[in-house]
Amino acid sequence: MRKSRVQRMVLATCLGSFLLVIFYFQSSLNPAAEDRILGTSWHGKSGRNPLQALYDSDQFEQSSVQATHQQRRDLLSSVCSRYTRKRRLLTRDDLRHLVVDDVHGLLYCYVPKVACTNWKRVMMVLTGQGKYRDPLEIPANEAHVSSNLRTLSEYSTPEINHRLRNYLKFIFVREPFERLVSAYRNKFTRRYNTAFHKRYGTKIIRRHRQEPSNEALERGDDVRFKEFVYYLLDPRTQVEEPFNEHWERVHSLCHPCIIHYDVVGKYETLAEDANYVLQLVGADASVKFPSSSKTTRTTDDMTAQFFEDISPFYQRRLFNLYKMDYLLFNYSIPSYLRLR
């Protein structure tokens, strides 16, 4: 009797854990029936949801923008098929970066250092029911307040599956090393980022600087790029904790080989790609994606300068670390790297 009771408890525990796994499959219900059951309804000005608008447009002669995005989807699928042998199931933790817009039927996977502040501002306008009208009126720090936008991890399993199947899913990516240098500049060379200096800077200096001063060990505010690279490549780093989202690989943040992204936007064509997404959702003409500042942004030339002091050995190791992002999103090996 006692053994039977223990077995039932173990079975219940396993079942509880099993229910946390997200099954991403095609529904047997039609979209209208799912809407009634799950309480969702989202249609643009044309009366269609944005996912339908995207794939209906593919049936006709494609514009150059549509053709570009089709090529990006095809490449992503091809690379995933080649390099992903076993497709695992999603967990709630995988969905923390997917921002949900139930008004327009959108899922946006935000990637830090790829215009994510402005995209969060736009999502707040789209989901705000008139509370916000101009993205630039929203302070940057308010855009990152977690309670202002819902993520897919907050929904029930049936609701998650419904949105994965029926919402337009989009992501914006950037040349991986340019994004990495942008993260380094923002988090380690700006005096105001004391939280990053204390949490990461002090550890990096303690482990990867010979004879550091007491002040450097205390403040952690003068991390060199070379030391940052050593930290990323140190086997202890990811054993102790996952990479911070600002330098985590895109494929680890957004899982593009598990989640089928309908639009893959690029930082290099940000304005054009952002406009394409807003057109698909039927956003009001007054909703404009904010133009980016070109005076402080990290460029390819600037990135090349940071890599001048990195030896070919560490360049190769760092490239291997970010290699999947290069392959998945069709970025060429930077000409400044010395990988031979």
Side-chain angles (χ1 to χ4, degrees):
M1 182 74 176
R2 185 181 183 89
K3 183 177 181 181
S4 176
R5 185 178 179 184
V6 171
Q7 288 174 335
R8 288 198 300 271
M9 289 175 64
V10 170
L11 178 62
T13 302
C14 293
L15 182 60
S17 300
F18 182 75
L19 291 175
L20 288 177
V21 176
I22 310 305
F23 291 92
Y24 182 15
F25 55 85
Q26 292 299 317
S27 172
S28 59
L29 296 174
N30 63 55
E34 286 197 41
D35 287 346
R36 288 194 299 272
I37 293 171
L38 297 174
T40 57
S41 180
W42 28 261
H43 298 283
K45 294 179 179 178
S46 64
R48 299 179 301 173
N49 67 59
L51 191 61
Q52 182 183 2
L54 172 67
Y55 289 105
D56 280 358
S57 67
D58 286 349
Q59 298 177 13
F60 305 99
E61 184 176 352
Q62 291 184 329
S63 68
S64 60
V65 174
Q66 291 169 332
T68 294
H69 285 278
Q70 181 64 57
Q71 290 168 4
R72 291 176 185 174
R73 288 194 297 271
D74 291 345
L75 175 74
L76 191 56
S77 176
S78 174
V79 174
C80 286
S81 297
R82 182 176 179 183
Y83 289 92
T84 306
R85 295 181 180 178
K86 187 175 180 180
R87 182 172 174 176
R88 69 175 180 81
L89 298 173
L90 290 167
T91 65
R92 289 191 183 279
D93 197 51
D94 295 327
L95 308 175
R96 292 181 297 107
H97 273 247
L98 280 160
V99 176
V100 181
D101 174 3
D102 282 324
V103 179
H104 299 88
L106 276 181
L107 294 176
Y108 160 56
C109 189
Y110 73 89
V111 178
K113 308 313 298 176
V114 192
C116 78
T117 300
N118 281 339
W119 262 119
K120 286 183 177 181
R121 285 167 163 158
V122 170
M123 294 292 282
M124 287 174 68
V125 172
L126 292 176
T127 61
Q129 303 288 350
K131 181 179 179 181
Y132 306 101
R133 296 190 179 277
D134 181 358
L136 285 179
E137 291 179 353
I138 302 172
N141 63 324
E142 189 174 341
H144 294 289
V145 174
S146 59
S147 60
N148 285 332
L149 291 166
R150 293 191 71 183
T151 64
L152 196 58
S153 60
E154 300 172 38
Y155 290 76
S156 70
T157 300
E159 291 171 331
I160 290 169
N161 284 322
H162 174 75
R163 283 159 178 77
L164 284 171
R165 287 190 300 270
N166 297 294
Y167 282 22
L168 181 81
K169 298 168 288 295
F170 74 99
I171 181 176
F172 272 73
V173 299
R174 184 177 185 177
E175 202 285 329
F177 282 173
E178 187 178 298
R179 173 177 170 252
L180 184 66
V181 169
S182 179
Y184 164 77
R185 291 180 63 218
N186 180 256
K187 300 307 176 187
F188 296 111
T189 70
R190 304 287 192 267
R191 292 294 179 185
Y192 56 79
N193 266 322
T194 53
F196 271 81
H197 301 159
K198 288 289 186 181
R199 178 169 181 179
Y200 298 102
T202 53
K203 180 189 292 187
I204 291 171
I205 291 171
R206 184 173 67 253
R207 287 187 174 174
H208 302 291
R209 182 177 299 179
Q210 293 183 354
E211 300 181 359
S213 67
N214 290 333
E215 182 181 6
L217 289 170
E218 171 66 25
R219 298 170 63 91
D221 61 353
D222 65 341
V223 172
R224 300 157 189 161
F225 184 67
K226 182 185 295 186
E227 295 166 341
F228 179 52
V229 170
Y230 295 160
Y231 163 78
L232 294 174
L233 297 174
D234 187 337
R236 294 172 293 180
T237 299
Q238 290 192 78
V239 171
E240 293 173 350
E241 61 178 339
F243 275 168
N244 180 274
E245 63 179 12
H246 290 85
W247 47 83
E248 178 61 279
R249 286 72 52 91
V250 176
H251 73 269
S252 295
L253 289 176
C254 296
H255 312 286
C257 289
I258 309 175
I259 298 172
H260 175 78
Y261 286 97
D262 306 291
V263 176
V264 178
K266 293 199 170 187
Y267 191 76
E268 295 78 12
T269 51
L270 178 60
E272 181 180 44
D273 293 344
N275 185 54
Y276 181 57
V277 172
L278 293 176
Q279 285 180 345
L280 286 172
V281 304
D284 191 276
S286 62
V287 180
K288 303 291 185 184
F289 190 85
S291 58
S292 60
S293 170
K294 295 184 179 180
T295 56
T296 59
R297 63 162 287 189
T298 302
T299 63
D300 183 69
D301 289 342
M302 189 182 298
T303 302
Q305 292 175 14
F306 278 88
F307 274 82
E308 287 178 354
D309 292 333
I310 308 300
S311 71
F313 173 76
Y314 284 105
Q315 287 185 9
R316 166 62 72 180
R317 289 187 60 196
L318 193 66
F319 177 77
N320 287 338
L321 186 64
Y322 288 87
K323 183 177 180 178
M324 276 304 295
D325 281 358
Y326 275 96
L327 293 171
L328 289 166
F329 306 115
N330 199 28
Y331 285 105
S332 301
I333 299 175
S335 59
Y336 54 78
L337 291 185
R338 308 183 302 280
L339 299 182
R340 294 180 181 179

